[in-house]
Amino acid sequence: ITTTGTCSLATPVSLAHGGTGYAAQTTVVQRVLGTSATMGTTATAMPDDDTIPQIGEGAEITTAVIAPKNSANLLEIEAVAWLGINANDSAVCGIFKDADANALAGGNVNSPASGNPLQMVVKHSMTAATTSNITFRLRCGPNNGANTLTWNGVGGVRKLGGVLLSSIRVLEFAQ
């Protein structure tokens, strides 16, 4: 906005129900979802410090494989993990691409030892850069390897009868 009451965004287009508006710049081309209802545990640490999570840390919870339609398209990755820990500690998660060592994105949540799992969401966006298969991996672990992290449950016990799901979703947007 350069002057009060003046705004120049783009060329308006006709709307289906009359009038004019602005068209969305992107369209979802493809959606891939990987889920896991399996309860699992790990004591393999994923440190909650100032280092990038590494692919050998924590445990793999689920994956999603996508073959982008166009290498110029945008990929949006969203991972959701349900986590419980047996002590007052941090749970750390990362989104990894293929077998790349460094996480693309990460997150942490401080968890008191309790009877309820906590939800962690980690997101990342990137240009596809290929039309070959890309495997995105959700890996999580306790900050301290002396503690045990449980996914889709707490204390090594499944919660909600197998419908508590951790997932990784990839959306591909045309550019």
Side-chain angles (χ1 to χ4, degrees):
I1 299 176
T2 56
T3 310
T4 303
T6 304
C7 180
S8 179
L9 297 174
T11 305
V13 296
S14 297
L15 299 176
H17 298 288
T20 57
Y22 295 91
Q25 297 298 312
T26 59
T27 302
V28 175
V29 175
Q30 186 176 182
R31 176 186 155 171
V32 176
L33 180 65
T35 64
S36 174
T38 302
M39 183 280 304
T41 64
T42 186
T44 304
M46 185 174 276
D48 184 6
D49 58 14
D50 192 28
T51 60
I52 297 171
Q54 299 295 296
I55 199 160
E57 297 170 344
E60 189 168 283
I61 295 176
T62 192
T63 64
V65 179
I66 189 168
K69 304 292 184 188
N70 186 310
S71 62
N73 286 349
L74 176 71
L75 301 178
E76 287 190 359
I77 305 100
E78 179 180 83
V80 177
W82 288 97
L83 306 168
I85 199 158
N86 70 324
N88 188 4
D89 194 6
S90 296
V92 181
C93 292
I95 296 173
F96 294 84
K97 178 178 143 299
D98 297 324
D100 294 356
N102 290 337
L104 298 172
N108 69 341
V109 63
N110 291 319
S111 173
S114 70
N116 296 310
L118 300 172
Q119 183 187 59
M120 184 184 311
V121 178
V122 181
K123 298 180 180 184
H124 181 71
S125 297
M126 61 182 270
T127 301
T130 185
T131 55
S132 298
N133 282 350
I134 302 172
T135 301
F136 290 102
R137 305 171 188 284
L138 172 60
R139 297 184 65 86
C140 300
N143 170 55
N144 182 340
N147 296 321
T148 300
L149 178 79
T150 301
W151 59 91
N152 300 331
V154 173
V157 178
R158 182 179 76 175
K159 289 288 230 175
L160 302 179
V163 297
L164 186 61
L165 299 174
S166 293
S167 63
I168 187 163
R169 181 187 70 190
V170 183
L171 298 176
E172 179 180 358
F173 293 92
Q175 295 298 295

